[in-house]
Amino acid sequence: SGDFLAAADQFRAFNETYPGSPLSAEAFLRQGEALEGSGATSDAARAYLESYSGHPNNYTAPEALFRLGAALGKLGQTREACVTLNEVGVRHPGDSFEAEAQAEMQRLQCS
């Protein structure tokens, strides 16, 4: 409904209430999206990092890593963004987010 902060709070509350849940990677990822929607890109990046670093083999991992890289790019951390986006293809070859990461790398003019 566009209430990004309320959604982010609900995902945060889920992870606080159910630490270590099999759904926590997804909750951190969606919390990041909600934070990004509210304009809190730095907080979103932290949520994406939490999603990925806590669950690097989860089905959400490629998307979390892509979104982390894209958020770093938005924050002006281009070098870190390029390294992170490149890791999508290295760690998750063939995933649909690999193509999105490549497109974002081109947009950021990664070398």
Side-chain angles (χ1 to χ4, degrees), residues 60-96:
T60 60
E63 181 179 0
L65 194 57
F66 162 71
R67 291 190 182 281
L68 172 59
L72 290 170
K74 289 177 186 170
L75 292 168
Q77 298 177 20
T78 306
R79 184 171 159 257
E80 294 84 354
C82 291
V83 169
T84 302
L85 290 164
N86 186 62
E87 285 298 305
V88 176
V90 171
R91 296 180 186 216
H92 307 283
D95 189 90
S96 63

Side-chain angles (χ1 to χ4, degrees), residues 26-51:
E26 177 92 28
F28 278 117
L29 178 60
R30 301 308 164 212
Q31 178 186 10
E33 285 183 304
L35 288 164
E36 200 163 357
S38 74
T41 306
S42 183
D43 291 334
R46 281 191 276 284
Y48 297 142
L49 177 61
E50 185 69 35
S51 177

